[in-house]
Amino acid sequence: MLVTPRPWIICEWHADFVCAGPDGGHPHCLVSVKHRSADQGPWALADLPKRGGFKVLYERWAASGYFHTCRWVTNGGLKPGDDQVKELARLLALPITADREQRISQYAGLLSEGIGAAISDAESFLGSLQMISTGGDEFSMRAQAIEGVARPVMQHLGVAAGMARVAFLAAYDLVTEAVLNLNPDEPDGLWMTPTDPASEDRAKRTISRHRLLERLRERGIAIPNDAGIAGAPGESDMIRKLRAGRLGPTVIASAPRLRRRWYELEATFRPDVPSPLQDEVNRLRAEVLYRASMAETRTRRPGAAYGVSMHGALTELLTHEISARLPISAPELMGCIYQLTDECEVWWSDRFNPQYDAPWLLEPKVQSYVQPSLLQMDADSAEASA
């Protein structure tokens, strides 16, 4: 969920879990997870309808309108051979061809009675299905999740790779709470106000991207809300505002990283209860915002792109000493500026709707104001006098 636009997962709701489609839309994916100990041997085709859960998964898929996709995941092995599970999994992973469809129809005939479906429905069900065997016991599976999933995700987001285990355990705890129908962050409102019990239960079993990010922050991993998704840093409100101010590619490329430095510092010193350190963070925010307003006042020309001049003036202002009881330097302070930019406290141009690029970026020519140097001003004055 941190690197793809899939905003939620529901645990133990009609299936072992349901994964949202892109941006929360349809089709969703119904997932059945089956553990199998080594002494039980590999899955055989005859095992799939009952012990393998195919019958239940088919029924849930049919009840959803024969529309969503399905996935069957196991740590167990898959029995090889003709008309066996390993061959079925291989076929389902292949591109659609006439030969593949013919073979899947044969498997549908073998499975239809066991899952309680007409052969045509069994064919459609298999057409929606993926089968995955991860292998290993719970310990090797945990290592695989840390090394194969958590570590590359952390690296993609610019977080130290050494935090991969912490991130995995944070996600693992959320899954445990969702499976047990717990949500320790919110009170149970059933006894206070009349509500829909099913809706209340579903909310507790839902892991949202926001909920995952909050849990990671609690564990010391500060990731901005817009980071990571399909190149979102290049499409965030912050970046659109920098582009609107005509700031260059180096500033735009470095802004997300500097912002993350500030965000990590702010998360580190954000306590659960009020404290002097939190007051210090708030004071620094106010000080940086004040200097941003000074830079804007010095450089702003209504209707002109003054972001370049403002950035230069602000960089100079931030190099002036700012006393702080936190370990900050100029990069963290500039990161704070970018954080405030994303929060719409700081602008680099006239206001516009930051969900879209500024309208003047679409125009062929835009007046650009660059604050002249003192030498240039003296030269202009001398020329005018002459």
Side-chain angles (χ1 to χ4, degrees):
M1 290 195 297
L2 294 180
V3 294
T4 60
R6 299 182 185 274
W8 53 259
I9 289 172
I10 303 180
C11 299
E12 296 292 348
W13 192 264
H14 298 299
D16 288 321
F17 63 94
V18 179
C19 182
D23 298 315
H26 292 168
H28 302 322
C29 184
L30 283 64
V31 186
S32 175
V33 182
K34 293 299 175 187
H35 180 266
R36 194 169 176 90
S37 59
D39 59 2
Q40 291 179 291
W43 289 98
L45 195 73
D47 297 328
L48 294 183
K50 298 291 180 66
R51 282 177 289 192
F54 265 39
K55 178 175 173 59
V56 172
L57 185 59
Y58 165 76
E59 290 171 350
R60 299 290 187 266
W61 174 78
S64 73
Y66 303 89
F67 176 68
H68 299 290
T69 62
C70 298
R71 187 171 295 178
W72 184 82
V73 185
T74 182
N75 69 313
L78 307 180
K79 188 172 182 178
D82 293 339
D83 296 336
Q84 276 299 341
V85 180
K86 190 169 186 177
E87 175 63 11
L88 174 60
R90 188 189 72 83
L91 287 170
L92 296 179
L94 293 177
I96 296 177
T97 63
D99 181 64
R100 171 187 180 272
E101 295 304 290
Q102 181 180 0
R103 290 287 291 126
I104 287 178
S105 295
Q106 294 173 358
Y107 274 102
L110 296 172
L111 291 169
S112 60
E113 183 177 353
I115 65 176
I119 293 180
S120 59
D121 289 340
E123 287 180 13
S124 298
F125 169 65
L126 292 178
S128 75
L129 181 67
Q130 281 185 299
M131 299 177 68
I132 299 171
S133 173
T134 63
D137 57 20
E138 65 175 291
F139 300 105
S140 59
M141 288 166 64
R142 175 175 296 211
Q144 178 182 342
I146 293 172
E147 294 300 320
V149 181
R151 189 177 298 278
V153 166
M154 293 296 100
Q155 290 173 328
H156 177 81
L157 296 173
V159 177
M163 299 299 288
R165 183 175 183 276
V166 177
F168 167 79
L169 292 175
Y172 185 90
D173 288 347
L174 273 181
V175 172
T176 301
E177 292 169 9
V179 168
L180 296 177
N181 200 18
L182 303 173
N183 186 352
D185 299 324
E186 297 179 10
D188 190 337
L190 286 175
W191 62 275
M192 293 187 290
T193 57
T195 186
D196 178 6
S199 177
E200 187 87 6
D201 286 346
R202 186 170 61 250
K204 291 179 181 179
R205 296 187 185 278
T206 300
I207 301 174
S208 65
R209 188 173 191 273
H210 173 76
R211 191 172 170 187
L212 175 57
L213 287 172
E214 285 296 315
R215 183 59 57 89
L216 290 171
R217 288 168 194 151
E218 292 172 7
R219 305 292 172 87
I221 302 175
I223 300 172
N225 290 334
D226 60 358
I229 296 184
E235 298 300 328
S236 67
D237 291 355
M238 174 187 69
I239 295 303
R240 290 193 182 97
K241 291 173 187 173
L242 295 175
R243 281 207 300 260
R246 298 291 184 177
L247 287 158
T250 301
V251 172
I252 290 175
S254 62
R257 183 176 295 277
L258 293 176
R259 175 195 175 193
R260 189 176 299 118
R261 287 184 65 162
W262 167 260
Y263 200 87
E264 290 172 351
L265 183 144
E266 187 170 356
T268 300
F269 292 98
R270 182 180 59 190
D272 295 330
V273 296
S275 78
L277 288 179
Q278 178 62 52
D279 293 340
E280 181 70 357
V281 169
N282 293 336
R283 187 192 70 79
L284 282 172
R285 273 176 157 260
E287 178 70 26
V288 168
L289 184 58
Y290 171 68
R291 298 191 186 208
S293 65
M294 291 175 60
E296 182 185 80
T297 301
R298 291 181 186 181
T299 59
R300 182 172 183 261
R301 299 293 185 272
Y306 59 89
V308 175
S309 300
M310 179 179 166
H311 190 275
L314 182 54
T315 301
E316 182 180 354
L317 287 170
L318 291 179
T319 59
H320 296 170
E321 184 178 354
I322 296 180
S323 60
R325 290 179 289 168
L326 301 179
I328 62 167
S329 58
E332 286 78 24
L333 293 174
M334 189 56 76
C336 181
I337 286 291
Y338 295 137
Q339 179 66 32
L340 292 169
T341 300
D342 192 70
E343 296 172 3
C344 293
E345 295 279 352
V346 172
W347 293 76
W348 303 86
S349 66
D350 290 343
R351 285 181 176 268
F352 65 99
N353 183 351
Q355 292 183 347
Y356 309 96
D357 276 327
W360 52 84
L361 294 179
L362 306 177
E363 300 172 1
K365 292 184 179 180
V366 178
Q367 179 186 359
S368 180
Y369 169 75
V370 178
Q371 186 176 11
S373 66
L374 293 176
L375 289 176
Q376 183 62 48
M377 292 173 67
D378 290 341
D380 292 344
S381 298
E383 183 179 351
S385 299

